[in-house]
């Protein structure tokens, strides 16, 4: 199904100047934030093509993060499944253990150029908070991380890690005490301290230019794959699979492939205890469009337009919205979105540990679970490239708790 | 027939009398849906010239802890946009002159559907709508629909609003604009009167409608300090704190008594509203 006709290829160039991906994205914030966003937009427009900025970003990625991250053929697991070949993009090998650091370095470098010495962040699983605290230490910046108190409890080790790195972690007690509430609180801090503070958003959501900017910084993942996969197998993969909470690791690996229609793109959302139970975090699968956190996108909401509480075993996917570019990719049909339950993700987690000697993050385990689900149905020469977005060290307590409960 | 222009008429009348308008905000459903109408009536009886009715939202990003708590109390009882419209309908059975503005976030309106909302709001007797997360860039279609229905779209203006943006807001704004005197969230503490006066003078050149000032007005002293520079003063978080302190049974009486002291203080300000 390779497309050879040059007229059917297209150059993907979203978002538009105002941050719209079709009907999604945009800037839906209070007037108090508009100047800060305009300033950020101007700065990013200037630096995204600035050779000095790009060179510094790439140098940091190479020497501080350890990029490029390898692609790895999960031969043993693929063999056991008896179908498609599963390849892993090893973002788990990055410094700090996940893809999140790519974006944090980009934004911290931008903050430095804007003369802002204080950075704030929201975090769910703690990975983005750790990555932000890490780069803040690296560049000598003050760092405050907002984290839902429920997540503080679930991810105690990451909280300790952020403290070690010199960041102040503020537990957020409002609402559902998870990522969305941390995001609200970080926005409030930014509104109040906008002159001194740079808000490092960790995912491809929020008001323009964040979805575009975070995607751009994360696109290093997919750009590396564009070279690594042909070097390894002589061609592009047939399918790219990534988990989607807010969706930054997925956008990072999808974006460079959008112009290549022969590569299928599949995002995997958290079905939690099952879509039918209502206890899930699958906004593209089960939500409808609305406005939250500065952008229009698919949201999990009730009839009154109130955002509802989400559930996932993985804190990093526990978010009621999703990046607006994913909303556009879904509606346009360029990407497909599926979901995987807590139990399916945990099963994939264990299999990956045993068969490949890799402990994946629970977030990434959702993408692995989908790959393992479809691999047996596909030909042996089909190649599935899965973004292994993070390592699972942070999830030891969660997994141990679940396994103990199951054994009891 | 309902007067779709209660805001303009009320603000013009006050200006002619040389008085500064007093705008009172309460979150609908706090502490209960049944309590909201008595609270609103009490505020009007105590001298509120315009009522802003908060529409509860699960993620009130631009509000401080006080308004967020009010929103959470209302949401815990399932109060939503339909209920807010019900309060306005009920108020209109006895009061067809006090302007009512709904204040909230975009998502409940979009969940209802913008056309359905505009029709329902007009039918209920709403006069204006302030959508915190609709800046002018994203509000053109909504503004046109409200205009067609004779409802005012109220915008926020902040100390960080540039003259170019103020001009764009001025083109779309109806009724009044709400000047956010602080760069912080609602209910924040510090208010620099001189700074507000200077900035208001600059913004006035671009804004053809009256300017209300809010965020940080919490007592007679701050209200009277702002009054000479503003067409209206807006009080929100402080009223909610009175409701919290009073408990449901005493809330209406207590907010009325408290707002009465502000009204009295404002009416004693020389030259208020005479610019």
């Amino acid at each position: 199904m390779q497309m050879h006709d040059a007229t059917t290829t297209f150059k993907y160039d979203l978002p538009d100047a105002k941050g719209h991906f079709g009907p999604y994205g945009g800037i839906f914030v209070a007037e108090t934030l508009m100047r800060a966003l305009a300033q950020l937009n101007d700065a990013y427009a200037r630096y995204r093509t600035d050779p000095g900025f790009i060179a510094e970003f790439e140098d940091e990625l190479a020497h501080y993060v350890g990029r490029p991250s390898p692609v790895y053929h999960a031969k043993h697991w693929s063999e056991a499944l008896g179908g498609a070949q599963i390849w892993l993009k090893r973002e788990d090998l990055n410094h700090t253990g996940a893809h999140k650091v790519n974006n944090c370095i980009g934004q911290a470098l931008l903050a430095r150029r804007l003369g802002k010495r204080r950075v704030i962040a929201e975090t769910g699983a703690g990975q983005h908070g750790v990555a932000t605290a890490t780069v803040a230490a690296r560049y000598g910046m003050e760092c405050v991380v907002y984290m839902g108190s429920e997540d503080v409890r679930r991810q105690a080790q990451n909280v300790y890690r952020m403290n070690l790195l010199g960041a102040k972690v503020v537990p957020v007690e409002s609402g559902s005490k998870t990522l969305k509430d941390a995001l609200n609180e970080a926005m409030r801090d930014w509104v109040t301290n906008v002159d001194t503070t740079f808000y490092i958003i960790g995912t491809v959501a929020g008001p323009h230019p964040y979805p575009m900017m975070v995607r751009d910084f994360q696109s290093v993942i997919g750009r590396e794959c564009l070279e690594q996969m042909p070097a390894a197998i002589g061609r592009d993969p047939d399918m790219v699979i990534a988990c989607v909470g807010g969706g930054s690791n997925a956008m990072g690996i999808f974006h460079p492939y959008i112009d290549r229609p022969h590569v299928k793109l599949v995002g995997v959302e958290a079905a939690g205890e099952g879509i039918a139970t209502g206890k899930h975090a699958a906004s593209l699968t089960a939500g409808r469009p609305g406005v939250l956190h500065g952008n229009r996108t698919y949201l999990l909401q009730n009839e009154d337009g109130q955002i509802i509480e989400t559930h996932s075993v993985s804190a990093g996917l526990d978010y009621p919205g999703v990046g607006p570019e994913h909303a556009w990719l879904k509606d346009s049909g360029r990407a497909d979105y599926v979901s995987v339950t807590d139990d399916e993700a945990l099963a994939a987690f264990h299999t990956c540990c045993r068969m490949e000697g890799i402990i994946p993050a629970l977030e990434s385990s959702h993408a692995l679970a989908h790959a393992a689900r479809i691999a047996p149905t596909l030909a042996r020469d089909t190649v599935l490239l899965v973004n292994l977005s993070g390592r699972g060290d942070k999830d030891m307590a969660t997994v141990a708790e679940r396994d103990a409960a199951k054994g009891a | 027939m309902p007067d779709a222009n209660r805001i303009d008429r009320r603000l013009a009348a006050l200006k002619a009398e040389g008085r500064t308008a007093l705008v009172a905000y309460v979150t609908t459903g706090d502490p209960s849906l049944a309590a909201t109408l008595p609270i609103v009536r009490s505020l009007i009886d105590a001298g509120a010239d315009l009522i802003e009715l908060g529409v509860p939202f699960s993620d009130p990003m631009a509000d401080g802890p006080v308004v967020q708590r009010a929103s959470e109390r209302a949401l815990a009882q399932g109060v939503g946009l339909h209920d807010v419209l019900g309060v306005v309908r009920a108020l209109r059975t006895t009061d067809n002159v006090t302007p009512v503005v709904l204040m909230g976030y975009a998502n409940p309106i979009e969940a209802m559907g913008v056309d359905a909302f505009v029709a329902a709001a007009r039918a209920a007797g709403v006069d204006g709508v302030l959508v915190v997360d609709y800046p002018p860039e994203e509000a053109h279609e909504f503004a046109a629909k409200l205009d067609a229905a004779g409802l005012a779209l109220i915008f926020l203006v902040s100390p960080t609003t540039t003259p170019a943006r103020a001009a764009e807001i001025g083109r779309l704004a109806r009724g009044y604009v709400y000047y956010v005197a602080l760069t912080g969230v609602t209910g924040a503490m510090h208010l620099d009167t001189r700074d507000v006066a200077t900035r208001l003078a600059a913004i006035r050149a671009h804004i053809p409608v009256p300017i209300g000032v809010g965020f940080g007005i919490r007592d007679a002293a701050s209200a009277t300090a702002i009054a000479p520079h503003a067409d209206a003063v807006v009080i929100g978080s402080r009223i909610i704190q009175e409701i919290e302190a009073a408990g449901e049974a005493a809330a209406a009486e207590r907010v009325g008594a408290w707002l009465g002291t502000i009204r009295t203080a404002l009416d004693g300000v020389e030259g208020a509203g005479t610019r």
Side-chain angles (χ1 to χ4, degrees):
Chain A
M1 53 175 273
Q2 204 127 0
M3 306 188 82
H4 297 291
D5 182 356
T7 60
T8 65
T9 63
F10 67 106
K11 190 77 198 119
Y12 180 79
D13 61 357
L14 295 178
D16 68 16
K18 288 185 171 175
H20 296 117
F21 302 89
Y24 303 108
I27 303 181
F28 293 88
V29 298
E31 180 61 26
T32 41
L33 276 176
M34 292 302 295
R35 189 183 67 170
L37 286 167
Q39 186 189 39
L40 177 61
N41 200 28
D42 290 349
Y44 185 57
R46 184 159 78 247
Y47 288 114
R48 74 184 295 209
T49 54
D50 177 77
F53 181 80
I54 294 168
E56 187 179 7
F57 180 54
E58 288 178 351
D59 191 66
E60 291 291 282
L61 290 181
H63 299 287
Y64 190 62
V65 178
R67 303 203 70 92
S69 68
V71 290
Y72 164 80
H73 185 189
K75 273 187 199 150
H76 193 192
W77 196 0
S78 303
E79 200 55 42
L81 290 166
Q85 303 306 303
I86 296 177
W87 285 70
L88 306 178
K89 176 61 172 169
R90 299 291 307 276
E91 291 299 298
D92 60 314
L93 296 177
N94 290 341
H95 179 44
T96 73
H99 71 290
K100 292 288 187 188
V101 72
N102 304 325
N103 164 55
C104 288
I105 286 177
Q107 291 196 47
L109 293 178
L110 206 51
R112 281 215 305 195
R113 278 165 172 75
L114 292 174
K116 299 194 175 176
R117 305 270 314 169
R118 178 175 183 266
V119 294
I120 58 170
E122 85 296 338
T123 196
Q127 291 305 96
H128 174 58
V130 168
T132 304
T134 300
V135 301
R138 163 85 181 85
Y139 303 123
M141 295 164 150
E142 183 190 345
C143 179
V144 176
V145 178
Y146 292 94
M147 189 169 185
S149 59
E150 175 67 13
D151 290 334
V152 169
R153 186 189 64 76
R154 288 195 283 193
Q155 305 286 346
Q157 204 186 61
N158 269 344
V159 174
Y160 186 64
R161 207 175 290 174
M162 286 183 267
N163 288 331
L164 284 178
L165 292 161
K168 182 180 162 201
V169 179
V170 180
V172 176
E173 299 288 351
S174 57
S176 61
K177 306 175 179 27
T178 60
L179 178 59
K180 77 180 179 77
D181 309 289
L183 216 150
N184 289 334
E185 211 56 42
M187 284 276 187
R188 293 195 182 104
D189 181 316
W190 201 33
V191 171
T192 310
N193 302 297
V194 67
D195 287 331
T196 60
T197 299
F198 190 101
Y199 179 16
I200 299 186
I201 290 185
T203 192
V204 286
H208 180 68
Y210 281 103
M212 172 181 78
M213 180 172 70
V214 175
R215 173 202 75 193
D216 289 350
F217 289 140
Q218 291 294 3
S219 292
V220 64
I221 303 170
R223 282 199 308 275
E224 288 173 1
C225 295
L226 288 185
E227 296 185 0
Q228 290 170 320
M229 292 309 292
I233 62 168
R235 63 184 178 87
D236 285 333
D238 298 290
M239 190 184 292
V240 175
I241 302 171
C243 65
V244 176
S248 72
N249 89 81
M251 271 328 303
I253 197 165
F254 286 179
H255 185 253
Y257 284 108
I258 292 177
D259 283 339
R260 302 186 180 207
H262 54 282
V263 179
K264 278 197 75 170
L265 305 176
V266 179
V268 185
E269 296 193 297
E273 295 178 11
I275 299 291
T277 68
K279 292 186 169 181
H280 61 81
S283 34
L284 289 165
T285 305
R288 55 204 163 82
V291 173
L292 178 69
H293 295 150
N295 64 120
R296 180 175 283 124
T297 187
Y298 279 82
L299 302 173
L300 292 171
Q301 54 179 311
N302 69 15
E303 297 248 301
D304 278 343
Q306 309 298 347
I307 307 308
I308 57 180
E309 294 187 12
T310 53
H311 168 85
S312 170
V313 69
S314 101
L317 302 183
D318 207 349
Y319 178 63
V322 63
E325 195 164 10
H326 285 296
W328 168 246
L329 289 174
K330 173 191 161 80
D331 283 11
S332 67
R334 180 61 190 93
D336 291 323
Y337 293 87
V338 299
S339 65
V340 152
T341 64
D342 288 350
D343 287 343
E344 291 168 323
L346 280 157
F349 171 92
H350 284 295
T351 310
C352 188
C353 291
R354 295 282 180 85
M355 297 205 118
E356 299 295 340
I358 294 171
I359 300 177
L362 285 176
E363 290 78 9
S364 324
S365 298
H366 286 71
L368 292 170
H370 180 67
R373 181 164 67 191
I374 63 171
T377 69
L378 299 167
R380 296 182 75 93
D381 62 350
T382 303
V383 173
L384 311 179
L385 175 61
V386 180
N387 197 9
L388 185 57
S389 54
R391 70 175 83 121
D393 305 38
K394 68 183 175 60
D395 295 314
M396 293 296 96
T398 306
V399 175
E401 211 174 281
R402 296 278 301 215
D403 287 350
K406 205 184 276 178
Chain B
M1 265 313 286
D3 178 1
N5 221 351
R6 294 181 194 92
I7 299 171
D8 298 343
R9 302 216 316 188
R10 173 61 57 92
L11 293 180
L14 287 165
K15 194 180 177 77
E17 293 169 27
R19 298 168 71 207
T20 302
L22 176 56
V23 178
Y25 169 95
V26 287
T27 300
T28 310
D30 172 40
S32 73
L33 184 57
T36 297
L37 187 58
I39 288 172
V40 167
R41 286 191 168 130
S42 174
L43 290 167
I44 292 170
D45 290 345
D49 297 303
L50 189 153
I51 297 293
E52 287 182 353
L53 264 186
V55 181
F57 183 48
S58 51
D59 294 76
M61 245 167 40
D63 286 299
V66 174
V67 174
Q68 183 174 21
R69 281 201 303 271
S71 222
E72 285 174 4
R73 286 190 292 267
L75 289 173
Q77 302 168 72
V79 174
L81 184 50
H82 288 98
D83 302 304
V84 181
L85 293 171
V87 169
V88 181
R89 268 195 306 275
L91 175 69
R92 288 290 173 238
T93 61
T94 58
D95 180 338
N96 203 24
V97 292
T98 306
V100 175
V101 169
L102 304 192
M103 180 169 179
Y105 292 79
N107 204 54
I109 291 173
E110 296 202 356
M112 182 180 281
V114 167
D115 292 324
F117 166 74
V118 171
R122 180 183 158 81
V126 170
D127 302 290
V129 183
L130 195 169
V131 184
V132 174
D133 49 355
Y134 270 166
E137 287 85 346
E138 302 286 357
H140 283 90
E141 205 183 315
F142 187 61
K145 288 178 174 177
L146 287 181
D147 260 350
L151 301 179
L153 181 54
I154 318 292
F155 282 97
L156 295 173
V157 177
S158 93
T160 58
T161 301
T162 59
R165 286 189 60 75
E168 188 176 354
I169 291 169
R171 277 191 290 277
L172 288 179
R174 303 287 184 272
Y176 61 101
V177 297
Y178 184 163
Y179 179 79
V180 180
L182 304 160
T183 52
V185 294
T186 53
M189 293 302 286
H190 309 288
L191 181 68
D192 180 341
T193 310
R194 194 177 307 166
D195 180 61
V196 170
T198 310
R199 289 175 187 275
L200 281 182
I203 284 168
R204 220 171 262 284
H206 304 285
I207 303 280
V209 294
I211 300 181
V213 177
F215 283 43
I217 297 175
R218 47 193 312 102
D219 52 25
S222 48
T224 52
I226 290 297
H229 312 288
D231 301 301
V233 296
V234 187
I235 304 183
S237 298
R238 191 65 182 76
I239 292 174
I240 290 170
Q241 287 173 319
E242 289 295 320
I243 293 172
E244 283 180 334
E248 181 164 352
E253 192 186 339
R254 179 153 170 172
V255 294
W258 183 82
L259 197 76
T261 64
I262 305 294
R263 174 84 268 171
T264 305
L266 276 182
D267 287 345
V269 175
E270 297 251 337
T274 54
R275 284 160 320 278

